[in-house]
Short mmCIF file of all heavy atoms in Angstrom, two decimals:
data_model
loop_
_atom_site.label_atom_id
_atom_site.label_comp_id
_atom_site.label_asym_id
_atom_site.label_seq_id
_atom_site.Cartn_x
_atom_site.Cartn_y
_atom_site.Cartn_z
N ASP S 24 -53.96 249.31 30.22
CA ASP S 24 -53.47 250.62 29.79
C ASP S 24 -54.48 251.26 28.84
O ASP S 24 -55.16 250.56 28.07
CB ASP S 24 -52.13 250.51 29.06
CG ASP S 24 -51.02 249.96 29.94
OD1 ASP S 24 -51.31 249.60 31.12
OD2 ASP S 24 -49.87 249.89 29.47
N TYR S 55 -58.52 264.89 30.78
CA TYR S 55 -57.10 264.77 31.09
C TYR S 55 -56.31 264.42 29.83
O TYR S 55 -55.68 263.36 29.73
CB TYR S 55 -56.90 263.74 32.19
CG TYR S 55 -57.54 264.13 33.50
CD1 TYR S 55 -58.54 263.34 34.06
CD2 TYR S 55 -57.17 265.30 34.16
CE1 TYR S 55 -59.15 263.70 35.24
CE2 TYR S 55 -57.79 265.67 35.35
CZ TYR S 55 -58.77 264.87 35.89
OH TYR S 55 -59.38 265.23 37.06
N ASN S 57 -53.73 266.11 26.77
CA ASN S 57 -52.86 267.19 26.33
C ASN S 57 -52.43 266.97 24.88
O ASN S 57 -52.48 265.86 24.36
CB ASN S 57 -51.60 267.25 27.20
CG ASN S 57 -51.89 267.60 28.65
OD1 ASN S 57 -52.95 268.14 28.96
ND2 ASN S 57 -50.94 267.30 29.51
N TYR S 59 -49.05 267.84 22.35
CA TYR S 59 -47.66 268.27 22.27
C TYR S 59 -47.24 268.39 20.80
O TYR S 59 -47.70 267.62 19.95
CB TYR S 59 -46.72 267.27 22.95
CG TYR S 59 -46.93 267.13 24.44
CD1 TYR S 59 -47.83 266.20 24.95
CD2 TYR S 59 -46.22 267.92 25.35
CE1 TYR S 59 -48.03 266.08 26.31
CE2 TYR S 59 -46.41 267.79 26.72
CZ TYR S 59 -47.32 266.86 27.19
OH TYR S 59 -47.51 266.74 28.55
N GLN S 61 -43.79 268.33 18.42
CA GLN S 61 -42.36 268.01 18.40
C GLN S 61 -41.80 268.33 17.02
O GLN S 61 -42.16 267.71 16.03
CB GLN S 61 -42.12 266.54 18.74
CG GLN S 61 -40.64 266.21 18.88
CD GLN S 61 -40.36 264.77 19.28
OE1 GLN S 61 -41.12 263.85 18.93
NE2 GLN S 61 -39.31 264.55 20.04
N GLU S 65 -35.99 268.08 18.11
CA GLU S 65 -36.26 268.84 19.34
C GLU S 65 -37.09 268.02 20.32
O GLU S 65 -37.66 266.98 19.97
CB GLU S 65 -36.97 270.14 19.02
CG GLU S 65 -36.15 271.09 18.17
CD GLU S 65 -36.83 272.44 17.97
OE1 GLU S 65 -37.87 272.69 18.60
OE2 GLU S 65 -36.30 273.24 17.18
N ALA S 66 -37.18 268.53 21.55
CA ALA S 66 -38.02 267.91 22.55
C ALA S 66 -39.49 268.28 22.33
O ALA S 66 -39.78 269.31 21.69
CB ALA S 66 -37.59 268.37 23.94
N PRO S 67 -40.42 267.49 22.80
CA PRO S 67 -41.82 267.88 22.71
C PRO S 67 -42.09 269.18 23.47
O PRO S 67 -41.47 269.47 24.49
CB PRO S 67 -42.54 266.71 23.37
CG PRO S 67 -41.62 265.55 23.22
CD PRO S 67 -40.25 266.15 23.35
N LYS S 68 -43.06 269.91 22.95
CA LYS S 68 -43.48 271.17 23.56
C LYS S 68 -44.98 271.10 23.84
O LYS S 68 -45.76 270.74 22.95
CB LYS S 68 -43.19 272.34 22.62
CG LYS S 68 -43.69 273.69 23.11
CD LYS S 68 -43.48 274.76 22.04
CE LYS S 68 -44.08 276.10 22.47
NZ LYS S 68 -43.93 277.13 21.43
N LEU S 69 -45.37 271.44 25.05
CA LEU S 69 -46.78 271.42 25.42
C LEU S 69 -47.52 272.58 24.77
O LEU S 69 -47.11 273.75 24.92
CB LEU S 69 -46.92 271.48 26.94
CG LEU S 69 -48.34 271.51 27.49
CD1 LEU S 69 -49.09 270.22 27.18
CD2 LEU S 69 -48.31 271.76 29.01
N HIS S 72 -53.33 271.94 27.28
CA HIS S 72 -53.51 271.05 28.43
C HIS S 72 -54.97 270.99 28.82
O HIS S 72 -55.75 271.91 28.52
CB HIS S 72 -52.64 271.48 29.61
CG HIS S 72 -52.99 272.81 30.21
ND1 HIS S 72 -53.89 272.96 31.25
CD2 HIS S 72 -52.59 274.06 29.91
CE1 HIS S 72 -54.00 274.23 31.56
NE2 HIS S 72 -53.23 274.92 30.75
N ASP S 73 -55.33 269.88 29.45
CA ASP S 73 -56.72 269.67 29.88
C ASP S 73 -57.71 269.86 28.73
O ASP S 73 -58.74 270.53 28.89
CB ASP S 73 -57.06 270.57 31.06
CG ASP S 73 -56.16 270.29 32.26
OD1 ASP S 73 -55.86 269.11 32.51
OD2 ASP S 73 -55.72 271.25 32.92
N GLU S 78 -51.59 276.62 26.38
CA GLU S 78 -50.45 276.88 27.25
C GLU S 78 -49.98 278.32 27.04
O GLU S 78 -50.07 278.86 25.93
CB GLU S 78 -49.33 275.88 26.96
CG GLU S 78 -48.14 275.92 27.87
CD GLU S 78 -48.41 275.38 29.28
OE1 GLU S 78 -49.56 274.99 29.57
OE2 GLU S 78 -47.46 275.34 30.06
N TYR S 110 -48.60 265.03 19.09
CA TYR S 110 -49.00 263.87 19.90
C TYR S 110 -50.09 264.26 20.88
O TYR S 110 -50.00 265.30 21.56
CB TYR S 110 -47.82 263.35 20.73
CG TYR S 110 -46.68 262.77 19.93
CD1 TYR S 110 -45.60 263.55 19.55
CD2 TYR S 110 -46.67 261.42 19.58
CE1 TYR S 110 -44.54 263.02 18.82
CE2 TYR S 110 -45.61 260.88 18.87
CZ TYR S 110 -44.55 261.68 18.49
OH TYR S 110 -43.51 261.15 17.78
N HIS S 112 -51.92 262.99 24.46
CA HIS S 112 -51.38 262.34 25.65
C HIS S 112 -52.42 262.35 26.74
O HIS S 112 -53.00 263.40 27.05
CB HIS S 112 -50.13 263.12 26.11
CG HIS S 112 -49.72 262.88 27.53
ND1 HIS S 112 -49.30 261.65 27.98
CD2 HIS S 112 -49.66 263.70 28.60
CE1 HIS S 112 -49.00 261.73 29.27
NE2 HIS S 112 -49.20 262.97 29.67
N GLN S 113 -52.70 261.17 27.32
CA GLN S 113 -53.65 261.11 28.42
C GLN S 113 -52.91 260.91 29.73
O GLN S 113 -51.94 260.14 29.80
CB GLN S 113 -54.70 260.00 28.21
CG GLN S 113 -54.20 258.57 28.35
CD GLN S 113 -54.07 258.08 29.78
OE1 GLN S 113 -54.67 258.65 30.70
NE2 GLN S 113 -53.25 257.05 29.99
N TYR S 114 -53.37 261.57 30.77
CA TYR S 114 -52.77 261.41 32.09
C TYR S 114 -53.84 261.13 33.14
O TYR S 114 -53.63 261.33 34.33
CB TYR S 114 -51.90 262.60 32.46
CG TYR S 114 -52.65 263.91 32.60
CD1 TYR S 114 -53.00 264.40 33.84
CD2 TYR S 114 -52.99 264.65 31.47
CE1 TYR S 114 -53.69 265.58 33.96
CE2 TYR S 114 -53.68 265.84 31.58
CZ TYR S 114 -54.02 266.31 32.83
OH TYR S 114 -54.69 267.47 32.93
N ASN S 115 -54.99 260.63 32.66
CA ASN S 115 -56.05 260.27 33.60
C ASN S 115 -55.67 259.07 34.45
O ASN S 115 -55.96 259.00 35.64
CB ASN S 115 -57.33 259.96 32.83
CG ASN S 115 -58.50 259.64 33.74
OD1 ASN S 115 -58.97 260.48 34.49
ND2 ASN S 115 -58.98 258.41 33.69
N ASN S 116 -55.01 258.10 33.79
CA ASN S 116 -54.61 256.87 34.46
C ASN S 116 -53.13 256.62 34.26
O ASN S 116 -52.57 256.98 33.23
CB ASN S 116 -55.36 255.67 33.85
CG ASN S 116 -56.78 255.56 34.34
OD1 ASN S 116 -57.27 256.44 35.05
ND2 ASN S 116 -57.45 254.50 33.95
N LEU S 117 -52.54 255.93 35.25
CA LEU S 117 -51.20 255.39 35.05
C LEU S 117 -51.33 254.05 34.33
O LEU S 117 -52.22 253.27 34.66
CB LEU S 117 -50.48 255.20 36.38
CG LEU S 117 -49.86 256.44 36.99
CD1 LEU S 117 -49.59 256.24 38.45
CD2 LEU S 117 -48.58 256.78 36.24
N PRO S 118 -50.46 253.71 33.37
CA PRO S 118 -49.38 254.59 32.90
C PRO S 118 -49.90 255.67 31.96
O PRO S 118 -50.87 255.42 31.21
CB PRO S 118 -48.48 253.61 32.14
CG PRO S 118 -49.42 252.59 31.58
CD PRO S 118 -50.48 252.42 32.65
N PRO S 119 -49.30 256.84 31.97
CA PRO S 119 -49.67 257.83 30.96
C PRO S 119 -49.31 257.31 29.59
O PRO S 119 -48.29 256.61 29.43
CB PRO S 119 -48.82 259.05 31.34
CG PRO S 119 -47.69 258.51 32.12
CD PRO S 119 -48.18 257.29 32.82
N PHE S 121 -49.47 257.92 25.08
CA PHE S 121 -49.46 258.87 23.98
C PHE S 121 -50.10 258.26 22.75
O PHE S 121 -50.04 257.03 22.56
CB PHE S 121 -48.02 259.25 23.63
CG PHE S 121 -47.27 259.98 24.71
CD1 PHE S 121 -46.60 259.29 25.70
CD2 PHE S 121 -47.25 261.37 24.73
CE1 PHE S 121 -45.91 259.96 26.69
CE2 PHE S 121 -46.56 262.05 25.71
CZ PHE S 121 -45.89 261.35 26.70
N GLN S 123 -49.97 257.78 18.63
CA GLN S 123 -48.82 257.38 17.82
C GLN S 123 -48.20 258.54 17.05
O GLN S 123 -47.13 258.40 16.46
CB GLN S 123 -49.21 256.26 16.84
CG GLN S 123 -50.04 256.70 15.65
CD GLN S 123 -51.53 256.70 15.94
OE1 GLN S 123 -51.98 256.88 17.07
NE2 GLN S 123 -52.31 256.50 14.88
N HIS X 41 -40.81 263.19 35.48
CA HIS X 41 -40.96 262.02 34.62
C HIS X 41 -39.70 261.77 33.81
O HIS X 41 -38.94 262.70 33.51
CB HIS X 41 -42.07 262.25 33.60
CG HIS X 41 -43.45 262.33 34.12
ND1 HIS X 41 -44.26 261.21 34.30
CD2 HIS X 41 -44.20 263.40 34.47
CE1 HIS X 41 -45.44 261.59 34.74
NE2 HIS X 41 -45.45 262.91 34.85
N VAL X 43 -39.28 260.05 29.97
CA VAL X 43 -39.99 259.61 28.78
C VAL X 43 -38.95 259.31 27.71
O VAL X 43 -37.94 260.02 27.62
CB VAL X 43 -40.97 260.69 28.25
CG1 VAL X 43 -41.68 260.21 26.99
CG2 VAL X 43 -41.97 261.06 29.33
N GLN X 45 -37.94 257.95 23.52
CA GLN X 45 -38.38 257.91 22.13
C GLN X 45 -37.36 257.11 21.33
O GLN X 45 -36.23 257.57 21.12
CB GLN X 45 -38.51 259.33 21.58
CG GLN X 45 -39.12 259.40 20.19
CD GLN X 45 -39.46 260.82 19.81
OE1 GLN X 45 -38.76 261.77 20.15
NE2 GLN X 45 -40.56 260.99 19.08
N LYS X 49 -39.62 256.58 16.22
CA LYS X 49 -40.86 256.12 16.85
C LYS X 49 -41.49 257.23 17.69
O LYS X 49 -40.99 258.35 17.76
CB LYS X 49 -40.58 254.90 17.73
CG LYS X 49 -39.96 253.74 16.99
CD LYS X 49 -40.89 253.17 15.94
CE LYS X 49 -40.29 251.93 15.28
NZ LYS X 49 -41.19 251.39 14.21
N GLY X 50 -42.60 256.88 18.34
CA GLY X 50 -43.32 257.82 19.17
C GLY X 50 -42.78 257.87 20.60
O GLY X 50 -41.74 257.32 20.91
N LEU X 51 -43.54 258.55 21.44
CA LEU X 51 -43.13 258.78 22.82
C LEU X 51 -43.63 257.65 23.73
O LEU X 51 -44.77 257.21 23.59
CB LEU X 51 -43.71 260.11 23.29
CG LEU X 51 -43.26 261.33 22.48
CD1 LEU X 51 -44.11 262.54 22.82
CD2 LEU X 51 -41.79 261.61 22.71
N GLU X 52 -42.77 257.22 24.63
CA GLU X 52 -43.12 256.16 25.59
C GLU X 52 -42.73 256.61 26.98
O GLU X 52 -41.55 256.90 27.26
CB GLU X 52 -42.38 254.87 25.24
CG GLU X 52 -42.70 253.73 26.21
CD GLU X 52 -41.83 252.50 26.03
OE1 GLU X 52 -40.78 252.60 25.37
OE2 GLU X 52 -42.17 251.44 26.58
N TRP X 53 -43.69 256.68 27.87
CA TRP X 53 -43.42 257.02 29.25
C TRP X 53 -42.62 255.91 29.92
O TRP X 53 -42.87 254.72 29.67
CB TRP X 53 -44.74 257.24 29.99
CG TRP X 53 -44.58 257.44 31.44
CD1 TRP X 53 -44.17 258.57 32.09
CD2 TRP X 53 -44.84 256.47 32.47
NE1 TRP X 53 -44.14 258.35 33.45
CE2 TRP X 53 -44.55 257.07 33.70
CE3 TRP X 53 -45.27 255.15 32.46
CZ2 TRP X 53 -44.70 256.41 34.93
CZ3 TRP X 53 -45.42 254.47 33.67
CH2 TRP X 53 -45.14 255.10 34.87
N PHE X 56 -41.98 257.80 36.78
CA PHE X 56 -42.34 259.04 37.47
C PHE X 56 -41.92 258.95 38.93
O PHE X 56 -42.01 257.87 39.54
CB PHE X 56 -43.84 259.27 37.40
CG PHE X 56 -44.33 260.41 38.27
CD1 PHE X 56 -44.16 261.72 37.86
CD2 PHE X 56 -44.89 260.17 39.52
CE1 PHE X 56 -44.57 262.77 38.67
CE2 PHE X 56 -45.30 261.20 40.33
CZ PHE X 56 -45.14 262.50 39.90
N TYR X 65 -43.35 255.35 40.07
CA TYR X 65 -44.12 254.50 39.18
C TYR X 65 -43.26 254.18 37.96
O TYR X 65 -42.47 255.01 37.52
CB TYR X 65 -45.41 255.18 38.74
CG TYR X 65 -46.26 255.69 39.86
CD1 TYR X 65 -46.40 257.05 40.09
CD2 TYR X 65 -46.97 254.82 40.69
CE1 TYR X 65 -47.20 257.54 41.11
CE2 TYR X 65 -47.76 255.30 41.71
CZ TYR X 65 -47.87 256.66 41.92
OH TYR X 65 -48.67 257.13 42.93
N TYR X 66 -43.47 252.97 37.41
CA TYR X 66 -42.66 252.52 36.28
C TYR X 66 -43.53 251.91 35.19
O TYR X 66 -44.57 251.29 35.48
CB TYR X 66 -41.64 251.47 36.73
CG TYR X 66 -40.62 251.97 37.72
CD1 TYR X 66 -40.83 251.82 39.09
CD2 TYR X 66 -39.45 252.60 37.28
CE1 TYR X 66 -39.90 252.28 40.00
CE2 TYR X 66 -38.52 253.06 38.20
CZ TYR X 66 -38.75 252.90 39.56
OH TYR X 66 -37.82 253.36 40.45
N ALA X 67 -43.07 252.05 33.95
CA ALA X 67 -43.68 251.29 32.86
C ALA X 67 -43.35 249.81 33.04
O ALA X 67 -42.28 249.46 33.55
CB ALA X 67 -43.14 251.79 31.52
N ASP X 68 -44.26 248.97 32.59
CA ASP X 68 -44.02 247.51 32.70
C ASP X 68 -42.74 247.11 31.99
O ASP X 68 -42.04 246.19 32.43
CB ASP X 68 -45.20 246.74 32.08
CG ASP X 68 -46.46 246.82 32.92
OD1 ASP X 68 -46.37 247.21 34.11
OD2 ASP X 68 -47.53 246.48 32.40
N TYR X 101 -35.81 261.60 27.68
CA TYR X 101 -36.13 262.96 28.11
C TYR X 101 -36.55 262.96 29.58
O TYR X 101 -37.31 262.07 30.01
CB TYR X 101 -37.30 263.52 27.31
CG TYR X 101 -37.10 263.65 25.82
CD1 TYR X 101 -37.60 262.70 24.94
CD2 TYR X 101 -36.44 264.75 25.29
CE1 TYR X 101 -37.45 262.84 23.58
CE2 TYR X 101 -36.27 264.89 23.91
CZ TYR X 101 -36.78 263.93 23.07
OH TYR X 101 -36.61 264.07 21.71
N SER X 106 -46.59 269.81 35.72
CA SER X 106 -47.19 271.12 35.90
C SER X 106 -47.91 271.11 37.23
O SER X 106 -48.80 270.32 37.44
CB SER X 106 -48.16 271.39 34.77
OG SER X 106 -48.85 272.59 34.98
N TYR X 112 -49.01 263.09 41.08
CA TYR X 112 -48.83 262.67 39.69
C TYR X 112 -49.58 263.67 38.81
O TYR X 112 -50.70 264.04 39.12
CB TYR X 112 -49.38 261.26 39.49
CG TYR X 112 -49.63 260.90 38.05
CD1 TYR X 112 -48.57 260.71 37.17
CD2 TYR X 112 -50.92 260.76 37.57
CE1 TYR X 112 -48.81 260.39 35.85
CE2 TYR X 112 -51.16 260.45 36.25
CZ TYR X 112 -50.10 260.25 35.39
OH TYR X 112 -50.33 259.95 34.09
N TYR X 113 -48.94 264.12 37.73
CA TYR X 113 -49.60 265.07 36.85
C TYR X 113 -48.89 265.04 35.51
O TYR X 113 -47.96 264.25 35.30
CB TYR X 113 -49.57 266.45 37.49
CG TYR X 113 -50.73 267.36 37.14
CD1 TYR X 113 -52.02 266.86 37.09
CD2 TYR X 113 -50.53 268.71 36.89
CE1 TYR X 113 -53.09 267.68 36.77
CE2 TYR X 113 -51.60 269.54 36.58
CZ TYR X 113 -52.86 269.02 36.52
OH TYR X 113 -53.91 269.84 36.22
N TYR X 114 -49.32 265.91 34.61
CA TYR X 114 -48.76 265.84 33.26
C TYR X 114 -47.45 266.61 33.13
O TYR X 114 -47.12 267.45 33.97
CB TYR X 114 -49.77 266.35 32.23
CG TYR X 114 -50.15 267.80 32.36
CD1 TYR X 114 -49.38 268.81 31.78
CD2 TYR X 114 -51.31 268.17 33.04
CE1 TYR X 114 -49.74 270.14 31.90
CE2 TYR X 114 -51.67 269.50 33.17
CZ TYR X 114 -50.89 270.48 32.58
OH TYR X 114 -51.24 271.78 32.71
N MET X 115 -46.71 266.32 32.04
CA MET X 115 -45.43 266.97 31.78
C MET X 115 -45.66 268.33 31.12
O MET X 115 -46.40 268.40 30.13
CB MET X 115 -44.57 266.12 30.84
CG MET X 115 -44.49 264.66 31.18
SD MET X 115 -45.60 263.73 30.09
CE MET X 115 -45.38 262.06 30.75
N ASP X 116 -45.02 269.37 31.63
CA ASP X 116 -45.15 270.64 30.94
C ASP X 116 -43.85 271.10 30.28
O ASP X 116 -43.88 271.60 29.17
CB ASP X 116 -45.75 271.75 31.83
CG ASP X 116 -44.89 272.11 33.02
OD1 ASP X 116 -43.90 271.39 33.28
OD2 ASP X 116 -45.20 273.11 33.68
N TRP X 118 -39.89 269.97 29.07
CA TRP X 118 -39.04 268.83 28.79
C TRP X 118 -37.61 269.29 28.55
O TRP X 118 -37.38 270.38 28.03
CB TRP X 118 -39.51 268.12 27.52
CG TRP X 118 -40.91 267.60 27.54
CD1 TRP X 118 -42.05 268.28 27.84
CD2 TRP X 118 -41.32 266.28 27.18
NE1 TRP X 118 -43.14 267.47 27.71
CE2 TRP X 118 -42.73 266.23 27.30
CE3 TRP X 118 -40.65 265.13 26.78
CZ2 TRP X 118 -43.47 265.08 27.03
CZ3 TRP X 118 -41.38 263.97 26.50
CH2 TRP X 118 -42.78 263.95 26.63
N GLY X 119 -36.65 268.43 28.88
CA GLY X 119 -35.29 268.67 28.48
C GLY X 119 -35.07 268.30 27.03
O GLY X 119 -35.99 267.83 26.34
N LYS X 120 -33.86 268.51 26.53
CA LYS X 120 -33.55 268.21 25.12
C LYS X 120 -33.24 266.75 24.88
O LYS X 120 -33.19 266.31 23.72
CB LYS X 120 -32.38 269.09 24.66
CG LYS X 120 -32.70 270.57 24.64
CD LYS X 120 -31.52 271.36 24.08
CE LYS X 120 -31.75 272.86 24.16
NZ LYS X 120 -32.95 273.29 23.41
N GLY X 121 -33.00 266.01 25.94
CA GLY X 121 -32.81 264.57 25.81
C GLY X 121 -31.36 264.15 25.74
O GLY X 121 -30.47 264.93 25.42
#
Side-chain angles (χ1 to χ4, degrees):
Chain S
D24 297 4
Y55 297 119
N57 295 341
Y59 296 89
Q61 186 177 32
E65 297 186 7
K68 175 186 176 183
L69 178 65
H72 66 91
D73 299 321
E78 187 71 358
Y110 294 93
H112 161 64
Q113 72 79 21
Y114 63 101
N115 182 65
N116 282 6
L117 279 162
F121 296 86
Q123 74 272 29
Chain X
H41 292 272
V43 179
Q45 186 170 36
K49 302 296 185 182
L51 300 167
E52 180 190 15
W53 173 77
F56 170 79
Y65 307 110
Y66 297 93
D68 288 345
Y101 299 99
S106 175
Y112 162 69
Y113 210 42
Y114 64 85
M115 313 102 182
D116 64 350
W118 301 53
K120 295 184 185 301

